[in-house]
């Protein structure tokens, strides 16, 4: 095999057709024993028009790890896209995009308004793989921008929650 043979849904999405910020359900997978796992696209900025700089994105990542778990059950992982326009959210079970969008909005509000540097987890050499590359200032400013635009629970039309 010379190239990847599996078509991945994320690369089938027309990234020029979406209207960020939004939450999109990518897929629900069912395991052999019936357990379900959901994969969401948490798109914070418009693809090919914006990208969150790595330090701010990194700090948002560390904060969402706890803030989303405070607000939703069943979270497995929330990791940034390589294009730096948002995050994958993987969960046990099924959740509506409205529920996820509300949890994301509330988490970004806490980052923008309440979080202090000492509240950011994993900012030293023992607890992070690139601890020098954090910016709470950037995380707060990008959170404010995303919130000012509103988070839609539909990727193709603005249905701000
Ligand atoms: Zn880190």
């Amino acid at each position: 095999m010379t190239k990847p043979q599996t078509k991945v849904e994320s690369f089938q999405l027309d990234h020029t057709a979406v209207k960020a910020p939004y939450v999109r359900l990518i897929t629900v997978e069912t395991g052999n024993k019936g357990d379900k796992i959901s994969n969401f696209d948490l798109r914070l900025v418009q693809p090919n028009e914006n990208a969150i700089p790595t330090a701010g994105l990194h700090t948002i990542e560390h904060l969402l790890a706890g803030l989303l778990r405070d607000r939703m059950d069943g979270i497995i992982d929330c990791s940034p896209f390589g294009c730096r326009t948002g995050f994958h959210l993987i969960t046990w079970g099924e959740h509506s995009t409205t529920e996820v969008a509300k949890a994301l909005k509330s988490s970004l509000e806490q980052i923008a308004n309440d979080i202090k540097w000492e509240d950011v987890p994993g900012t030293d050499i023992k607890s992070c793989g690139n601890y020098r590359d954090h910016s709470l200032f950037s995380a707060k400013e990008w959170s404010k921008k995303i919130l000012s635009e509103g988070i839609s629970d539909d990727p193709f039309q603005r249905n701000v929650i």
Side-chain angles (χ1 to χ4, degrees):
M1 280 192 271
T2 56
K3 62 174 185 175
Q5 300 296 302
T6 303
K7 279 203 169 174
V8 176
E9 191 276 350
S10 296
F11 303 131
Q12 309 301 311
L13 175 73
D14 180 354
H15 285 72
T16 68
V18 297
K19 296 175 170 68
Y22 66 76
V23 172
R24 181 175 70 95
L25 176 64
I26 298 172
T27 185
V28 179
E29 309 259 349
T30 305
N32 292 338
K33 297 184 177 170
D35 283 319
K36 290 190 159 121
I37 285 179
S38 302
N39 184 6
F40 293 91
D41 165 1
L42 274 49
R43 193 73 60 161
L44 303 185
V45 299
Q46 187 63 27
N48 299 303
E49 291 181 12
N50 242 324
I52 302 174
T54 57
L57 190 74
H58 190 189
T59 301
I60 292 172
E61 178 208 354
H62 279 225
L63 287 166
L64 285 183
L67 294 175
L68 285 175
R69 284 179 171 85
D70 291 343
R71 290 160 171 80
M72 278 181 63
D73 289 329
I75 291 184
I76 297 171
D77 185 49
C78 187
S79 298
F81 297 142
C83 58
R84 295 186 280 112
T85 61
F87 290 81
H88 273 298
L89 174 67
I90 314 284
T91 72
W92 290 110
E94 296 183 83
H95 305 266
S96 70
T97 55
T98 310
E99 179 191 356
V100 175
K102 282 181 178 169
L104 175 62
K105 179 184 178 186
S106 168
S107 298
L108 293 179
E109 284 170 346
Q110 194 167 343
I111 294 172
N113 301 324
D114 299 325
I115 292 287
K116 299 176 185 66
W117 176 245
E118 52 269 29
D119 302 326
V120 181
T123 55
D124 62 36
I125 198 166
K126 284 194 175 177
S127 55
C128 176
N130 190 1
Y131 82 98
R132 295 177 182 87
D133 195 25
H134 276 284
S135 171
L136 182 58
F137 176 81
S138 176
K140 282 179 177 286
E141 290 304 310
W142 283 92
S143 294
K144 287 177 204 166
K145 173 178 162 50
I146 294 154
L147 289 166
S148 75
E149 292 166 2
I151 299 167
S152 173
D153 63 6
D154 184 319
F156 300 111
Q157 55 185 354
R158 298 299 296 154
N159 187 33
V160 172
I161 54 97

